[in-house]
Amino acid sequence: MNRSFLFTIAIIIASSTIFNGCAEQSQSKPADDADSLNAIPVEVSQVNRGDVSAYYAGNATLEADDEASAITNVRGIIRAIYVREGDYVEAGQILAKLEEEQLQLEVARTKALMDRSHNEYKRNSNLFEKKLISAEAYDNSRYEYESQKALYELASLDLERTEIRAPISGYVSERKVKTGNLLNVNETLFKITSYNPLLAILHIPEHEMSKIKRGQQVLLQADATPGKTFEGKVARISPVVNPQTGTFRATVEVQDDTGNLKPGMFSRIRVIYDTNHNTLLVPKEAILTEDVNKNLFVIRDNLAFKMPINTGFTNGNNVEILEGVQEGDLVVTIGHSSLRDSSLVEMINYAP
């Protein structure tokens, strides 16, 4: 063999030795590092116990339970107005005042006529007892006195009615007049609205009728008051079903001492008709629905196992689990779309 051929053979042997050494060094890396590279990151939550409720959800516009108009009972000109829209008033409170001078004169005139007829009646009573006048003359004087007394009382009543008073307690929701306006009888000056309680009318499908009962708790949220929840109850239930819509009416009553709710507000309502206490709960995000089957992934020894489950009530972000998990289990809430049964995972929001 020549020298060139021997040199080539030496290079090949050296290269093979170096390659084999690198391969052995690569294969000697810890298995844990390889497993760590293959683990799928997930977020988990623990199965806990709590209360969960079933409810019927619907929408409705809030209405005032009580509303009345303050009207005029006498003709006159408005002299003063004492309230504005939005003011709270008590029943019987003076809202406005009409000019009263003419009615005061009428009261004085009718009183004078009543007093004169009363004196005439008393005098005729004495004469009748002595049989000095006829029964007809006595009766005429009595009738005259009673007539004048009624006229005086009517004039006094009209004078009192120059003060326009609130028919109910509530808020002034509308003012329709100004100072100096001439009003006729039965004209509306103000609308008074009682905000507490407020009502909401739900039209509920007839198949829910067996679930909805009078007195059930109601939770209400209004778009105008984000983040706030108000409590109420089912006050009335219609005993008949509308044959055209297939629904029945349920009247919800809501108390609001804060004054945040107003008639006309759009609201979202939940009527709670059943509650399970101390039951197993998982976040709604943990549930996987495939056709009619429901599953979730349970973590054990850093492995995710796919478990079939049976669910019960859903309340907000929590779902009741009837079968498939135990209290304290860790379930995947984020990242399960990348998982297979027995996948290796890394829990990024939980440290054992």
Side-chain angles (χ1 to χ4, degrees), residues 99-154:
E99 291 184 352
E100 58 187 8
E101 288 79 6
Q102 184 175 349
L103 290 175
Q104 287 175 338
L105 293 174
E106 182 65 17
V107 169
R109 186 184 72 83
T110 54
K111 186 176 187 307
L113 292 174
M114 180 189 69
D115 291 342
R116 187 179 67 178
S117 61
H118 183 250
N119 292 334
E120 183 70 18
Y121 169 60
K122 287 174 64 177
R123 184 167 53 252
N124 287 343
S125 295
N126 293 330
L127 294 175
F128 181 71
E129 290 176 359
K130 298 176 182 179
K131 298 183 180 181
L132 297 176
I133 61 172
S134 66
E136 182 179 0
Y138 166 75
D139 288 339
N140 288 337
S141 64
R142 179 166 62 86
Y143 296 151
E144 179 65 19
Y145 165 66
E146 291 176 351
S147 176
Q148 291 299 331
K149 181 181 178 183
L151 291 174
Y152 168 73
E153 290 174 348
L154 284 173

Side-chain angles (χ1 to χ4, degrees), residues 215-226:
Q216 287 174 335
Q217 183 186 15
V218 171
L219 300 178
L220 181 145
Q221 293 178 319
D223 290 351
T225 58

Side-chain angles (χ1 to χ4, degrees), residues 61-337:
T61 300
L62 295 178
E63 303 176 5
D65 182 33
D66 202 1
E67 187 174 64
S69 298
I71 63 173
T72 57
N73 291 297
V74 294
R75 191 172 185 271
I77 296 174
I78 297 180
R79 188 179 73 184
I81 294 176
Y82 303 120
V83 296
R84 297 173 296 179
E85 288 186 3
D87 288 349
Y88 180 81
V89 296
E90 296 286 350
Q93 180 177 332
I94 299 175
L95 309 178
K97 180 76 173 176
L98 304 181
E99 291 184 352
E100 58 187 8
E101 288 79 6
Q102 184 175 349
L103 290 175
Q104 287 175 338
L105 293 174
E106 182 65 17
V107 169
R109 186 184 72 83
T110 54
K111 186 176 187 307
L113 292 174
M114 180 189 69
D115 291 342
R116 187 179 67 178
S117 61
H118 183 250
N119 292 334
E120 183 70 18
Y121 169 60
K122 287 174 64 177
R123 184 167 53 252
N124 287 343
S125 295
N126 293 330
L127 294 175
F128 181 71
E129 290 176 359
K130 298 176 182 179
K131 298 183 180 181
L132 297 176
I133 61 172
S134 66
E136 182 179 0
Y138 166 75
D139 288 339
N140 288 337
S141 64
R142 179 166 62 86
Y143 296 151
E144 179 65 19
Y145 165 66
E146 291 176 351
S147 176
Q148 291 299 331
K149 181 181 178 183
L151 291 174
Y152 168 73
E153 290 174 348
L154 284 173
S156 299
L157 182 60
D158 286 343
L159 181 60
E160 290 179 7
R161 287 172 172 173
T162 58
E163 295 178 340
I164 309 301
R165 298 179 179 270
I168 61 172
S169 297
Y171 291 89
V172 179
S173 56
E174 190 174 356
R175 191 187 82 175
K176 296 189 173 184
V177 292
K178 297 179 180 179
T179 303
N181 289 165
L182 174 62
L183 302 179
N184 293 314
V185 177
N186 293 330
E187 281 197 47
T188 299
L189 285 75
F190 305 92
K191 280 190 176 180
I192 311 299
T193 304
S194 175
Y195 291 1
N196 208 8
L198 288 169
L199 302 182
I201 309 300
L202 292 174
H203 297 274
I204 303 175
E206 59 181 304
H207 62 79
E208 303 281 356
M209 200 168 198
S210 61
K211 301 176 183 176
I212 307 303
K213 307 294 182 184
R214 183 178 177 182
Q216 287 174 335
Q217 183 186 15
V218 171
L219 300 178
L220 181 145
Q221 293 178 319
D223 290 351
T225 58
K228 294 183 179 180
T229 300
F230 303 88
E231 292 191 8
K233 64 179 181 179
V234 177
R236 297 186 292 274
I237 297 176
S238 173
V240 298
V241 175
N242 186 326
Q244 296 179 341
T245 62
T247 61
F248 65 96
R249 284 167 51 99
T251 302
V252 171
E253 187 178 275
V254 180
Q255 298 282 346
D256 174 30
D257 296 329
T258 66
N260 289 315
L261 295 178
K262 301 290 189 295
M265 284 185 176
F266 180 79
S267 62
R268 292 175 172 81
I269 298 170
R270 289 177 292 167
V271 180
I272 298 174
Y273 57 81
D274 196 5
T275 300
N276 290 338
H277 301 281
N278 196 33
T279 189
L280 295 177
L281 300 176
V282 300
K284 188 184 299 183
E285 294 80 6
I287 307 298
L288 297 172
T289 302
E290 300 172 355
D291 297 327
V292 296
N293 300 317
K294 293 183 179 180
N295 306 279
L296 51 70
F297 282 98
V298 177
I299 306 299
R300 296 194 177 102
D301 298 327
N302 290 327
L303 297 177
F305 296 96
K306 192 174 185 180
M307 304 291 294
I309 56 172
N310 291 326
T311 61
F313 296 157
T314 299
N315 192 357
N317 293 323
N318 293 321
V319 178
E320 179 186 19
I321 304 298
L322 303 177
E323 186 179 3
V325 297
Q326 298 177 357
E327 183 178 3
D329 282 349
L330 295 176
V331 297
V332 177
T333 56
I334 296 178
H336 37 43
S337 59

